[in-house]
Amino acid sequence: ETGVTQTPRHLVMGMTNKKSLKCEQHLGHNAMYWYKQSAKKPLELMFVYNFKEQTENNSVPSRFSPECPNSSHLFLHLHTLQPEDSALYLCASSQTLTQPDTQYFGPGTRLTVL
Amino acid sequence: GENVEQHPSTLSVQEGDSAVIKCTYSDSASNYFPWYKQELGKRPQLIIDIRSNVGEKKDQRIAVTLNKTAKHFSLHITETQPEDSAVYFCAASILSDMRFGAGTRLTVKP
């Protein structure tokens, strides 16, 4: 349960606030991901990082800004969000991107935008 | 891009019965198919996975089958127990691009 950690676990913010979500993985993996999980919708892949380099951005609005300073840490910077951005934000990691690989999820950050 | 459909959205079974969840995918290049279980308030956790060079895989009460020609795969849980109650997600992926189904809420009644 401690392989992938996320902080904070819960966050309430106004539309004009700036906040950051943090993810850390202790599995020695090289790839990290951000997902958005909304009620009654499939998990949506937002960003993919491999060896600190962003390899995928699935048409995510610019009010979400990822940062990956090293292979163990991943941030999601939030600014001027909308109420429809309220969701559970999940971080995941996997060993590699070069072959299909299991992704391990963190516990998520429950975000509420007022 | 890949599109994954999952059915049913809710499933209720009696303890001891079997449960089957089905998924279809659209991109024939997908080659990795994991299944995740997410209990209320918890993270998704991998319960079983299958790769495209295998047709069936079993782990105790859980089995997954893959039909590449028809582009569908299924999760089978036998002898269900109340602790199997959760939301189950299928996924199909090509390398890092993993697309998930919308989930099936399984309820096992004691």
Side-chain angles (χ1 to χ4, degrees):
Chain A
E1 290 292 334
T2 59
V4 183
T5 58
Q6 288 185 244
T7 55
R9 296 293 309 276
H10 300 272
L11 178 62
V12 179
M13 58 187 290
M15 289 192 286
T16 59
N17 291 158
K18 288 185 179 181
K19 296 287 185 184
S20 296
L21 310 185
K22 179 182 177 182
C23 175
E24 185 172 358
Q25 57 97 359
H26 310 272
L27 301 170
H29 289 168
N30 298 310
M32 296 187 78
Y33 312 77
W34 278 117
Y35 286 91
K36 176 182 179 182
Q37 187 175 32
S38 305
K40 299 184 180 179
K41 291 178 68 176
L43 275 160
E44 300 172 59
L45 179 64
M46 300 174 71
F47 301 104
V48 181
Y49 276 83
N50 187 37
F51 288 100
K52 305 187 301 177
E53 300 297 322
Q54 184 174 312
T55 61
E56 208 158 323
N57 174 343
N58 276 351
S59 304
V60 180
S62 60
R63 56 186 184 270
F64 295 92
S65 174
E67 179 190 359
C68 189
N70 55 61
S71 293
S72 298
H73 293 85
L74 184 65
F75 295 89
L76 188 62
H77 303 299
L78 317 171
H79 64 97
T80 59
L81 294 192
Q82 305 297 313
E84 58 265 30
D85 296 322
S86 298
L88 181 68
Y89 288 84
L90 290 161
C91 171
S93 71
S94 67
Q95 180 63 49
T96 179
L97 291 184
T98 58
Q99 59 183 352
D101 204 3
T102 303
Q103 294 184 20
Y104 295 87
F105 286 87
T109 295
R110 174 70 61 186
L111 174 67
T112 303
V113 182
L114 301 177
Chain B
E2 177 65 275
N3 183 44
V4 179
E5 300 280 343
Q6 183 172 347
H7 299 280
S9 57
T10 60
L11 178 60
S12 182
V13 299
Q14 209 64 37
E15 182 178 0
D17 288 350
S18 295
V20 180
I21 302 170
K22 298 182 179 182
C23 289
T24 60
Y25 61 99
S26 59
D27 193 334
S28 57
S30 290
N31 53 7
Y32 177 61
F33 306 90
W35 286 88
Y36 286 86
K37 174 184 180 182
Q38 188 175 26
E39 296 177 65
L40 189 63
K42 296 193 174 180
R43 72 189 76 197
Q45 293 201 299
L46 180 78
I47 55 171
I48 196 167
D49 57 9
I50 192 167
R51 298 177 191 274
S52 58
N53 58 347
V54 176
E56 185 174 353
K57 184 176 177 181
K58 189 173 181 181
D59 182 4
Q60 298 183 337
R61 297 186 297 108
I62 295 172
V64 58
T65 58
L66 171 65
N67 183 328
K68 287 173 57 181
T69 304
K71 289 188 282 191
H72 66 69
F73 55 113
S74 301
L75 177 72
H76 303 252
I77 306 174
T78 58
E79 300 171 33
T80 53
Q81 301 166 2
E83 51 265 39
D84 294 330
S85 296
V87 179
Y88 291 81
F89 295 95
C90 64
S93 78
I94 307 168
L95 296 180
S96 65
D97 190 1
M98 187 174 290
R99 301 301 168 114
F100 287 81
T104 296
R105 181 172 300 280
L106 173 65
T107 302
V108 180
K109 299 178 182 177

